[in-house]
Amino acid sequence: MSKRKKNMLSPAKVLTFGFALTITIGAFLLSLGPASAGGKKLGLTDAFFTATSATCVTGLAVVDTGTQFSLFGQIVILLLVQIGGLGFTTIGTLISLAFNRRISLRDRLVLQETLNYNAIGGLLQLIIKICVYTFSIEFVGALLLAARFFRDMPLGQALYFGVFHSVSIFNNAGFDLFGKIHGPFSGLAEYAGDPFVNIVVMALIVLGGIGFIVISDLVSYRRTRRLTLHSKVVLTMTLILTVIGALTMLAIESSNPHTLQPMSWTNRTMAAFFHSVSARSGGLSTVSVSDMEQSSQFLLILLMFIGAAPGSTGGGIKVTVFAILLGAIYAMIRGKEDIVLFRERLSKESIIKAITQTWLAMFLVVFVAMALSALEDHAFLPLLFEATSAFATAGLSLDLTPELKNISKWILCAVMFLGRIGPLTLAYAFTSKSKKELLRYPEGKIIIG
C-alpha cells in the first residue's frame, strides 16, 4: 500500500473534520463585534454553541437570534444552517460540477456517507436533484411566508423573514427571528391560529424530514409507478407517528389552561399536529412547551428521539430504525425468523445496525442527562428534554438552555455534533477498519425471558 493511500482520510473522518471545521469558522464569525446587534462581542461559549446549533441544524439557542444578532450575524447563521442541512460535501460537489471538475471515487464515498446512500452509482445525479429540490422548495416556501408576513411588516422585512424562515424550517433548524417583534424566544406563538402559516411550516418540516431520496422517489413516481422500500417505510412511519403524536397531545393538553384549552377545537387540533410534526426535528412551537403537562413533554422526548428519515436534514435514531425495531418485535411475537416490511425481507446487517444505533443513542442521551443533572440544579425531566433535543437535533426547548452553566453548554455542543454526524459514523472515523473474520466460533445458547 502506498504512503499516500495509507494517509488518506476515510469518508467518516472527512465528514467529521469537515463539520468540525465549519463550526469553528462559524463560531469565529459569530464572536466578532459586527455579528452582534449591539456591537458587543458574543462570548466564546455562546458563539460556539450557536454555530454548533446552526451547523448541526438543531435550533437550541442560548441567546435570541432576532434580538442578539445583527444582519451580518443572522446571515452567518443562515449560511451555517444551509451548509449543515445540505452537507458541506454536497455543496463542494455542486461547486466542482459547476467548474467541470472531475469527482473522484473518494469524493463519491464521502458523499455516500453524508447522504446515507446505499450505492455509489447515481450519486452525482442525486446531488443535482438534491440541490434543485432544496432551492426550489426553499424559494416557494420563502414566497408563501413573505406573502403572509407582508400583512404584519414592511415588504423588505417580509421578504427577508420569508427567506430566513423558509431555509431554517426546511433544513429543520428551528431558528426564528420573531424575538425582534414579539419578545425573546417567542417562536411562532403569534401564528398559532393561522392555518396558512401552520400548513406552510408543517409542509416545509415534513419535506425536510422525509429526506431527499424520498422526495426524488415521489417526484419520479408518475413515471415509475413504484416506490422503494425505503420510501414506503419513511412515509408510512411519518404518517403514523404524526397522527398518534397529535391525537395523544390533543387528549392530554385540551384541559391545560396554559396551552390548548383557551383555543377553539380547530386551533387545538392544528397546534397538536404542528407540535407532533415539529418534535421530530423541526424545533419550532406555537404554544409554550415549558407550560405543557409532563406527560406531553415526555411524548415530545420520544418523538424527538425517533427523529426524521435517513438522508434528511433531521436527526434522531431515524424512523427507519424505529420501523425495524417494531418489525423485530412483531416477528418475534409471531415466531418468524425474518423481519419483513412491505413483502421485502430485511438483511441481518440492517437489523444489527438498527439495534446498535438505538442502544448507542439511548446510552448517550441518558448519560448526558445524568451528567447535566449532576452539574445543574434543575429537575431531571427538563434536563432529559434538553439532552434529547440536542442529540436529535430537534431544537425544542423548555427554555432551560440559556440558564445552563458553560460546561453544560459545551456538553450539549458535543451532543449536537454527535447527533448530526451520528455515533456510528464517529465510531467508524476513529477505529481501524475491521478485518474479515476467518474463524467462526461455535453457537452457544443463553436463556432469554
Side-chain angles (χ1 to χ4, degrees):
M1 185 183 293
S2 66
K3 187 176 181 181
R4 181 183 174 187
K5 194 170 182 180
K6 191 175 181 180
N7 291 332
M8 281 177 64
L9 293 177
S10 66
K13 284 183 179 178
V14 172
L15 191 61
T16 302
F17 293 139
F19 267 100
L21 180 62
T22 304
I23 290 170
T24 304
I25 294 172
F28 170 73
L29 293 175
L30 291 176
S31 67
L32 299 176
S36 296
K40 184 180 178 181
K41 290 185 178 181
L42 196 65
L44 174 62
T45 299
D46 289 347
F48 193 86
F49 189 99
T50 305
T52 304
S53 184
T55 307
C56 298
V57 289
T58 304
L60 282 176
V62 287
V63 294
D64 184 70
T65 310
T67 54
Q68 171 65 40
F69 294 102
S70 63
L71 178 62
F72 170 73
Q74 291 169 10
I75 290 174
V76 169
I77 291 173
L78 196 64
L79 290 174
L80 291 175
V81 166
Q82 189 72 84
I83 293 169
L86 274 176
F88 69 94
T89 49
T90 304
I91 293 174
T93 303
L94 185 66
I95 294 171
S96 296
L97 289 173
F99 286 95
N100 292 320
R101 282 186 57 192
R102 182 176 172 272
I103 308 300
S104 66
L105 176 61
R106 179 167 166 269
D107 293 332
R108 292 169 192 258
L109 289 172
V110 175
L111 284 169
Q112 186 183 8
E113 187 78 31
T114 304
L115 300 171
N116 286 315
Y117 198 54
N118 293 326
I120 295 179
L123 265 177
L124 296 185
Q125 290 83 356
L126 181 62
I127 291 296
I128 295 171
K129 286 181 181 179
I130 285 173
C131 295
V132 171
Y133 298 153
T134 297
F135 297 130
S136 298
I137 292 169
E138 288 175 352
F139 178 73
V140 173
L143 287 182
L144 292 174
L145 290 175
R148 173 59 186 86
F149 295 154
F150 182 48
R151 291 165 54 184
D152 304 324
M153 58 188 73
L155 178 60
Q157 188 179 18
L159 289 171
Y160 173 63
F161 268 50
V163 170
F164 186 97
H165 291 95
S166 180
V167 173
S168 175
I169 295 166
F170 175 71
N171 288 286
N172 282 201
F175 284 92
D176 72 88
L177 301 176
F178 288 102
K180 184 172 285 189
I181 299 174
H182 307 302
F185 305 103
S186 59
L188 293 173
E190 188 74 12
Y191 300 98
D194 191 314
F196 184 83
V197 172
N198 276 261
I199 291 171
V200 171
V201 170
M202 283 191 285
L204 287 171
I205 293 173
V206 170
L207 288 171
I210 60 176
F212 301 112
I213 296 170
V214 178
I215 294 175
S216 177
D217 229 10
L218 290 172
V219 170
S220 60
Y221 179 77
R222 289 183 63 183
R223 177 174 49 83
T224 61
R225 290 294 171 185
R226 64 180 299 275
L227 294 174
T228 61
L229 175 61
H230 172 79
S231 296
K232 290 176 184 176
V233 171
V234 168
L235 293 172
T236 303
M237 291 307 303
T238 297
L239 179 62
I240 291 172
L241 289 170
T242 299
V243 173
I244 291 176
L247 294 179
T248 306
M249 183 165 294
L250 192 62
I252 297 170
E253 293 298 322
S254 288
S255 58
N256 187 343
H258 302 294
T259 55
L260 300 188
Q261 190 189 52
M263 299 180 177
S264 65
W265 272 102
T266 301
N267 287 350
R268 287 183 196 179
T269 305
M270 188 164 59
F273 271 93
F274 184 94
H275 288 84
S276 182
V277 168
S278 183
R280 288 188 308 102
S281 214
L284 291 168
S285 59
T286 55
V287 298
S288 175
V289 179
S290 57
D291 288 331
M292 288 182 178
E293 302 289 350
Q294 287 192 350
S295 50
S296 293
Q297 293 172 354
F298 191 73
L299 170 67
L300 294 178
I301 288 174
L302 294 177
L303 291 173
M304 288 190 296
F305 186 77
I306 295 169
S312 74
T313 55
I317 61 170
K318 309 301 187 215
V319 290
T320 48
V321 169
F322 186 64
I324 292 173
L325 297 178
L326 292 179
I329 294 171
Y330 178 79
M332 181 60 66
I333 291 173
R334 295 295 300 271
K336 297 180 180 293
E337 290 187 7
D338 297 323
I339 298 177
V340 178
L341 300 177
F342 295 99
R343 298 184 180 181
E344 293 190 48
R345 175 174 55 86
L346 300 183
S347 67
K348 182 181 176 183
E349 182 186 359
S350 298
I351 299 165
I352 293 175
K353 188 174 180 180
I355 294 171
T356 304
Q357 193 163 310
T358 303
W359 275 108
L360 283 175
M362 195 177 298
F363 280 134
L364 176 64
V365 169
V366 172
F367 177 78
V368 169
M370 290 172 63
L372 293 177
S373 183
L375 293 167
E376 303 288 340
D377 187 21
H378 295 286
F380 185 74
L381 183 64
L383 294 171
L384 177 63
F385 193 100
E386 303 296 305
T388 307
S389 182
F391 164 75
T393 65
L396 286 179
S397 175
L398 300 183
D399 299 330
L400 187 62
T401 305
E403 301 174 14
L404 298 178
K405 298 173 183 175
N406 281 349
I407 186 171
S408 299
K409 292 176 183 177
W410 284 100
I411 290 173
L412 287 183
C413 283
V415 176
M416 286 189 283
F417 184 77
L418 274 170
R420 185 67 181 102
I421 298 296
L424 278 178
T425 301
L426 199 67
Y428 294 152
F430 295 101
T431 54
S432 57
K433 190 176 180 181
S434 58
K435 297 179 180 179
K436 188 175 181 180
E437 293 184 355
L438 301 177
L439 173 67
R440 196 174 187 192
Y441 293 96
E443 184 179 287
K445 294 185 181 296
I446 57 173
I447 299 172
I448 299 174

